[in-house]
Amino acid sequence: MEPGFVPIAILTFAFLAYYFAHKRRKRSLLPPGPKGYPIVGNALDVPTEAPWKKYHQWCDELGSDIIYLNIAGVDTIVVDSLETATELLDKRSSIYSSRRPSPMINELMGWEWDIVFVPYGDLWRAQRKMLHQTFHTTASHKFHPHMQKNAHYLLRQFLKRPGDVIPNLRHMAGKTIMDIAYGLEVQDENDPYTKLAEEANRTVLEACVPGAFLVDSIPILKYVPEWVPGASFKKKARDWKELATTMVEKPYKAALNRIESGNFIPSFMAYRFFDIQEKKEDYSQHEYVIKSVAAAMYSAGSDTNVAVISTCIIGLLQRPDILKRAQEAIDSVVPFGELPNFDDQEKLPIVTAICMESLRWKNPLPVAMPHVLIQDDIYKGYVLPKGSVVVANSWAMLHDATVYPDPFSFKPERFLKNGKIDEDVRDPAKMVFGYGRRRCPAHHFAVAAVWIAVASLIASFDITRAVDDNGNIVDEDPPYEESLICIAKPFKCKMVPRSEKHERVIRATADREYRYEW
């Protein structure tokens, strides 16, 4: 035996004993969680599809609304109830509002500008302030003409292609965002701006899937040269970064040229441009924030808009009685054959209830974008370590049978009482649009855009299941994509105008003048 071996062995043994004792002691102070494996922890236990269901299962098995996971060395806290989400993410938002930068998305793909991924700090505060100024409850009303115009466009699309639900909704959503963010008119399905944004958005959704790229778990891999075997992600990231940069720059420059020429329609960019001029401030000091917020609006809003409205249609296919009831309500408020507008909203609580249930039933973001804890915290006697990723399981909260009886059924009537919205039933918007300081600052705008589209569809069309040549129902229960965003896969249904007058009114909207607020 070589000299010095015994002392080294003793010291090594003592170190390992202390290390594992410390790990056990630390583990005993953490919230309960599944055991996991060496090194990778629970990474192999979390499914890539519908992880929120597994999270909720673990919470049930462990009897806790807060659990701990070790995802390949990353401390992860799953929050399964609104009570805990409110306490941590709302009341303690000053320490729970950051993001964990993704080497793939933020650095390699160049999405460091997107408010969804920006860490808590000066840039994020500037972006959020600008969004709030433009889209708070009162300010968002000035975009009602834009929303109504694009809802009417959707109706005309369903006259042309009555069965193509997802393509019609996707084009309408892209048209709405381009209109409101930039003031750019999208003419048809082949519009270069929406095509560009859709493609860029697809890449970031792919990169957001947990475990999609090893570099997010082992950040040092970002330094590996592109030619090294196994580093194909570097080339993919380079191509995707070019796409993202073009998406940010191209519509921005086109919109700015129109604003400077005086030939523009009111938009987020126009409002901010002239607000800065009025304050006699240097536009260049605000340009990056304006540019990044405008691009982020498409990234954050397009798919969620499609997800909610398509879910509404699927729900109405399951509940033709609710569709009929809503049509009768609209006919009692709006002259038969005419189209509803925002002035009718308070008189049509059933349409509001349908939208609320669509948000709840198949909520578009089952798991909120993860928050990051910036300092150690203690909750219910548990130690929550600094740097922990905190995941709010919105799906579990929105399907809590103690709050929403029969939660997996589409029941808009759960939100109604005596012909009004029942204020005692928890509003799904509290969980759908995020938590604390990371709550979507444009959620009033998002809800309004969904409401006018859904009200217009219900008023104008009889919506029934599609059938094949043999009379068999097609797509009786359309499946959903269950990844970052929960959205129905393309499906068919039958959209028939309720009368000849409805059809004439829909077609006439093509020549209608919309008066924008300025």
Side-chain angles (χ1 to χ4, degrees), residues 414-485:
R414 73 173 80 246
F415 296 104
L416 296 171
K417 184 177 182 180
N418 300 326
K420 297 180 179 180
I421 295 296
D422 187 350
E423 301 292 341
D424 293 329
V425 180
R426 185 182 294 165
D427 185 349
K430 291 182 178 179
M431 294 147 282
V432 169
F433 294 103
Y435 304 86
R437 299 182 188 185
R438 284 290 180 169
R439 180 174 172 80
C440 174
H443 65 275
H444 299 293
F445 160 80
V447 169
V450 168
W451 189 91
I452 193 62
V454 170
S456 300
L457 284 170
I458 291 173
S460 305
F461 290 99
D462 285 320
I463 306 170
T464 57
R465 296 190 185 277
V467 295
D468 61 21
D469 293 338
N470 297 318
N472 299 313
I473 292 174
V474 177
D475 292 335
E476 185 166 358
D477 293 302
Y480 275 69
E481 296 279 357
E482 294 189 321
S483 55
L484 180 68
I485 294 180

Side-chain angles (χ1 to χ4, degrees), residues 339-453:
L339 300 174
N341 58 50
F342 283 104
D343 292 336
D344 305 313
Q345 191 166 3
E346 289 189 7
K347 303 172 191 174
L348 294 172
I350 187 167
V351 176
T352 301
I354 289 170
C355 294
M356 293 171 73
E357 180 68 343
S358 299
L359 283 171
R360 185 207 66 81
W361 183 47
K362 302 281 188 180
N363 50 310
L365 289 170
V367 174
M369 290 298 293
H371 294 226
V372 166
L373 177 59
I374 62 173
Q375 68 181 52
D376 288 344
D377 196 18
I378 296 176
Y379 178 67
K380 292 184 176 179
Y382 300 125
V383 173
L384 309 183
K386 175 183 177 180
S388 293
V389 172
V390 184
V391 178
N393 190 355
S394 301
W395 177 86
M397 303 174 207
L398 290 163
H399 293 82
D400 182 346
T402 64
V403 179
Y404 307 108
D406 193 10
F408 296 100
S409 295
F410 183 78
K411 288 188 171 183
E413 61 269 33
R414 73 173 80 246
F415 296 104
L416 296 171
K417 184 177 182 180
N418 300 326
K420 297 180 179 180
I421 295 296
D422 187 350
E423 301 292 341
D424 293 329
V425 180
R426 185 182 294 165
D427 185 349
K430 291 182 178 179
M431 294 147 282
V432 169
F433 294 103
Y435 304 86
R437 299 182 188 185
R438 284 290 180 169
R439 180 174 172 80
C440 174
H443 65 275
H444 299 293
F445 160 80
V447 169
V450 168
W451 189 91
I452 193 62

Side-chain angles (χ1 to χ4, degrees), residues 4-18:
F5 176 82
V6 173
I8 292 173
I10 292 173
L11 287 173
T12 302
F13 176 80
F15 170 77
L16 291 174
Y18 169 80

Side-chain angles (χ1 to χ4, degrees), residues 69-286:
L69 304 174
N70 171 5
I71 308 294
V74 177
D75 293 322
T76 304
I77 307 296
V78 176
V79 173
D80 210 55
S81 73
L82 183 60
E83 175 192 12
T84 297
T86 300
E87 177 60 38
L88 300 183
L89 306 182
D90 290 351
K91 295 181 180 179
R92 308 185 194 184
S93 60
S94 62
I95 61 172
Y96 280 89
S97 296
S98 198
R99 293 286 197 234
R100 183 171 185 261
S102 159
M104 184 65 179
I105 295 171
N106 292 59
E107 300 177 54
L108 300 179
M109 288 173 57
W111 282 71
E112 72 283 349
W113 48 265
D114 193 327
I115 188 173
V116 173
F117 305 113
V118 172
Y120 192 62
D122 291 341
L123 174 59
W124 175 82
R125 278 188 283 268
Q127 291 174 322
R128 182 174 177 81
K129 179 180 179 181
M130 192 170 284
L131 278 166
H132 178 74
Q133 288 173 338
T134 312
F135 296 108
H136 64 76
T137 310
T138 304
S140 63
H141 289 177
K142 62 180 171 284
F143 292 109
H144 284 178
H146 299 70
M147 299 176 196
Q148 191 147 24
K149 177 183 70 175
N150 288 296
H152 294 167
Y153 173 82
L154 177 65
L155 301 181
R156 298 197 300 274
Q157 287 297 100
F158 274 115
L159 286 181
K160 289 167 55 179
R161 304 184 306 186
D164 293 341
V165 178
I166 298 296
N168 288 345
L169 291 178
R170 195 171 293 283
H171 185 57
M172 184 273 293
K175 183 177 172 66
T176 301
I177 297 295
M178 286 294 167
D179 185 11
I180 289 173
Y182 299 102
L184 297 176
E185 293 274 340
V186 173
Q187 300 300 327
D188 56 40
E189 293 82 353
N190 296 313
D191 176 79
Y193 297 120
T194 54
K195 286 290 184 185
L196 178 63
E198 283 178 17
E199 183 63 16
N201 211 34
R202 181 194 61 77
T203 67
V204 79
L205 288 175
E206 182 176 334
C208 277
V209 175
F213 294 97
L214 189 60
V215 67
D216 283 332
S217 298
I218 309 175
I220 198 172
L221 291 178
K222 67 187 177 185
Y223 300 112
V224 173
E226 192 176 298
W227 51 265
V228 172
S232 59
F233 72 93
K234 293 289 292 287
K235 180 182 184 306
K236 185 174 286 189
R238 177 165 52 81
D239 293 341
W240 288 356
K241 183 173 184 176
E242 183 178 341
L243 187 63
T245 301
T246 306
M247 181 194 79
V248 172
E249 296 291 342
K250 189 173 181 178
Y252 172 80
K253 290 176 180 177
L256 189 60
N257 286 338
R258 291 191 181 189
I259 292 168
E260 291 177 334
S261 72
N263 181 26
F264 67 94
I265 62 175
S267 65
F268 161 78
M269 271 193 61
Y271 286 121
R272 298 280 59 87
F273 180 88
F274 288 105
D275 180 59
I276 291 167
Q277 276 200 342
E278 186 178 323
K279 293 176 181 176
K280 295 182 169 52
E281 296 177 353
D282 183 357
Y283 181 80
S284 65
Q285 299 298 312
H286 300 274

Side-chain angles (χ1 to χ4, degrees), residues 42-55 58 209-210 482:
N42 304 110
L44 301 178
D45 300 324
V46 180
T48 56
E49 288 193 4
W52 49 90
K53 296 179 182 177
K54 189 65 174 179
Y55 295 155
W58 280 327
V209 175
E482 294 189 321

Side-chain angles (χ1 to χ4, degrees), residues 473-513:
I473 292 174
V474 177
D475 292 335
E476 185 166 358
D477 293 302
Y480 275 69
E481 296 279 357
E482 294 189 321
S483 55
L484 180 68
I485 294 180
C486 186
I487 186 169
K489 294 181 179 180
F491 67 96
K492 298 286 186 181
C493 75
K494 190 176 180 182
M495 292 265 191
V496 178
R498 295 178 62 205
S499 70
E500 290 183 2
K501 183 176 181 181
H502 283 92
E503 183 172 349
R504 287 197 304 272
V505 169
I506 292 171
R507 294 191 186 282
T509 61
D511 300 317
R512 178 172 171 174
E513 292 289 331

